[in-house]
Amino acid sequence: MNETPRGNRLHIALFGNTNVGKSSIINALTGQNISLVSSLKGTTTDPVYKAMELLPIGPVVFIDTAGIDDEGEIGKLRIDKTKEVIAKTDVALLIFSYEDFIIDKKLSTTSCELLYGKDLLKSLVNGNKPVVGVLNKCDLKSVDNLFIKSPQEIAKLLSKKLNIPFVTVSTTTNNGIYQLKEELIKISPKNLNNCELIGDKLFTGAKILLITPQDIQAPKGRLILPQVQTLRDILDNGGIPIMCTLDNLDTSLELLNGKPDLVITDSQIFNIVNLKLPKDIPLTSFSILMAKNKGDLIEFYKGAKEIKNLKRGDKILIAEACTHHKLKGDIAGEKLPSWLSKICPGIIIENYSGKDFPTNLSEFKLVIHCGACMFNRAEVMSRLNFCKDSNVYITNFGLAIAEINGILDRVMKPLL
């Protein structure tokens, strides 16, 4: 469970007003006290992420969010953080409380979208996120014995009004928790990623040469995540991986009689590997495999083709999914800007890293994104769709470097 990277886990996010029981539902689903529970409003501030194994789905991440009705200046900041979670959500639970219908006798169940569901649900639906509605606190009773619809009746009305399935639960008695798990299993995507990294393109016994430079930017004592995942994908699909550093490329080719079935390299050395490798040997890179796995390879290809159309004064956004200390020769901070400027002198480059990303892309001509191994596919696709909606092309590091070196079609061919 702990070895599965967060980017490869199903992200289940819980949204709702303060005190509807989001944290209690996570605790009930997992059977653990993961999230802090209190009757005080605003207990959950920033989104809380917890990696878990939820059988039979497998490795998941539960995201507990602040109440969407939080108040004040701090409350507004909390709500903004909650809305940011939508981009990385694979499955959403939209939580209501039966208590709201008991306390407020004037509240009409037929106008329940006025609570918070309508706007939040619209954002989730527009992002193609599967949603389950949850009516929580269904063990409560009307204190003054005035007529109130049953939880099941209210859930049906909510389901009809919001057009999503609803489950009634009580985290106090655990009633309905099993049914909620069943609904989660039913709507969860069967394959989080667009496709495999490279396994779907291999035949049993295929000899794959992996070139993994170990320079100053490589993590000490280990391989980077895309290299590890690619290695495992090859093994899982019956391929035979052979790994070397650039200085051993010639020796490795000799061991393979000069005929590996595929060569996968670090994109930053495309220029060297392309010259050494016979043209009939298929070539691609780890970064391009991540583009295939996490995003839309064709859209990234179109974006890479726009590099040759850049003009002086055009603004380019270079985005990285993770933050790290910049070392000499950093790909995003030094190498890519230098290579791009040689093709088109006078372009303007702006760097973003981590969760930071512009809310307005109108000033940019192109976005060049890293392989995003630390993001899940939902977040990559959210950024890609945002670029498309903004009429801004987007590509990734590997495809951009391939286009700069004039080999884009060559490195795409093994993946088509």
Side-chain angles (χ1 to χ4, degrees):
M1 178 188 73
N2 293 326
E3 293 178 357
T4 304
R6 182 185 286 182
N8 289 358
R9 292 174 177 270
L10 182 83
H11 284 50
I12 304 172
L14 286 80
F15 302 96
N17 283 348
T18 52
N19 268 45
V20 294
K22 299 183 293 296
S23 301
S24 297
I25 287 174
I26 290 179
N27 291 345
L29 283 170
T30 61
Q32 299 182 39
N33 291 324
I34 291 171
S35 293
L36 180 63
V37 175
S38 171
S39 59
L40 297 175
K41 284 196 172 188
T43 302
T44 302
T45 53
D46 287 343
V48 176
Y49 296 77
K50 179 61 181 178
M52 287 293 301
E53 190 85 9
L54 187 63
L55 297 176
I57 294 174
V60 303
V61 173
F62 281 103
I63 311 175
D64 192 4
T65 64
I68 203 72
D69 63 337
D70 215 335
E71 298 175 341
E73 288 300 313
I74 298 298
K76 183 179 181 302
L77 294 175
R78 291 173 179 169
I79 291 171
D80 289 342
K81 287 291 185 183
T82 293
K83 290 179 178 178
E84 288 176 7
V85 170
I86 293 175
K88 65 191 74 174
T89 298
D90 292 307
V91 176
L93 299 183
L94 191 58
I95 316 298
F96 291 82
S97 171
Y98 184 50
E99 187 176 26
D100 292 328
F101 301 96
I102 293 176
I103 293 174
D104 189 351
K105 296 299 188 296
K106 296 179 181 179
L107 180 63
S108 168
T109 54
T110 59
S111 61
C112 60
E113 71 273 16
L114 296 179
L115 281 170
Y116 58 85
K118 189 175 182 180
D119 290 340
L120 183 58
L121 182 61
K122 183 178 179 181
S123 297
L124 292 165
V125 170
N126 287 346
N128 296 314
K129 315 291 186 181
V131 183
V132 175
V134 182
L135 184 62
N136 188 28
K137 304 187 182 181
C138 290
D139 54 303
L140 298 179
K141 305 293 182 184
S142 177
V143 293
D144 52 9
N145 293 320
L146 292 178
F147 176 78
I148 184 75
K149 291 182 183 295
S150 70
Q152 291 71 27
E153 290 174 305
I154 292 177
K156 286 181 181 179
L157 289 169
L158 289 168
S159 180
K160 184 177 180 180
K161 193 69 180 178
L162 300 180
N163 196 30
I164 57 174
F166 256 83
V167 179
T168 59
V169 305
S170 165
T171 55
T172 301
T173 64
N174 264 359
N175 283 342
I177 297 301
Y178 177 81
Q179 287 75 17
L180 178 54
K181 285 183 180 179
E182 289 290 301
E183 198 64 42
L184 273 174
I185 294 166
K186 186 188 303 182
I187 70 166
S188 293
K190 299 300 181 286
N191 182 5
L192 288 182
N193 299 316
N194 190 32
C195 52
E196 295 175 86
L197 282 164
I198 191 60
D200 57 328
K201 302 297 181 182
L202 301 182
F203 57 88
T204 300
K207 296 182 288 293
I208 315 300
L209 180 58
L210 309 172
I211 309 172
T212 58
Q214 300 303 300
D215 54 23
I216 189 174
Q217 296 182 73
K220 185 175 177 58
R222 60 184 175 87
L223 299 171
I224 62 173
L225 185 57
Q227 295 169 356
V228 174
Q229 292 178 325
T230 301
L231 182 61
R232 178 58 190 264
D233 194 37
I234 294 169
L235 292 170
D236 286 347
N237 287 278
I240 303 172
I242 299 157
M243 187 170 282
C244 71
T245 52
L246 182 59
D247 56 323
N248 283 319
L249 174 56
D250 292 335
T251 303
S252 299
L253 288 172
E254 288 176 11
L255 289 172
L256 294 165
N257 296 318
K259 288 291 182 180
D261 295 300
L262 174 65
V263 173
I264 305 171
T265 183
D266 187 298
S267 306
Q268 298 179 61
I269 54 173
F270 260 150
N271 58 334
I272 303 173
V273 176
N274 179 59
L275 290 174
K276 283 181 172 285
L277 209 61
K279 301 304 179 188
D280 61 334
I281 295 178
L283 171 67
T284 194
S285 78
F286 296 103
S287 179
I288 295 173
L289 295 185
M290 297 304 294
K292 170 179 176 285
N293 180 249
K294 299 260 184 177
D296 185 327
L297 190 57
I298 300 303
E299 286 299 320
F300 285 139
Y301 173 82
K302 292 176 183 176
K305 281 294 186 183
E306 285 300 303
I307 288 175
K308 298 292 176 65
N309 296 326
L310 295 174
K311 300 178 179 63
R312 181 179 293 274
D314 284 346
K315 197 168 185 179
I316 314 303
L317 169 63
I318 296 179
E320 294 180 280
C322 57
T323 57
H324 56 270
H325 180 64
K326 305 291 184 183
L327 300 173
K328 183 175 177 58
D330 181 75
I331 177 64
E334 292 185 26
K335 289 182 179 178
L336 260 178
S338 175
W339 293 332
L340 289 165
S341 295
K342 286 179 181 177
I343 290 180
C344 183
I347 58 173
I348 302 166
I349 294 174
E350 190 167 320
N351 288 80
Y352 278 72
S353 61
K355 302 303 179 185
D356 293 334
F357 200 75
T359 56
N360 185 347
L361 293 175
S362 60
E363 61 184 312
F364 296 101
K365 291 292 184 181
L366 176 68
V367 174
I368 304 179
H369 208 290
C370 72
C373 60
M374 302 306 294
F375 282 0
N376 65 338
R377 185 168 188 269
E379 192 161 8
V380 175
M381 289 303 299
S382 176
R383 288 191 173 184
L384 188 149
N385 290 328
F386 179 46
C387 289
K388 288 175 67 175
D389 292 342
S390 303
N391 294 314
V392 176
Y393 283 99
I394 181 172
T395 188
N396 96 325
F397 284 12
L399 290 162
I401 296 169
E403 176 66 4
I404 290 168
N405 284 281
I407 59 172
L408 181 58
D409 288 332
R410 179 182 185 183
V411 301
M412 281 285 292
K413 189 176 180 180
L415 307 180
L416 297 178

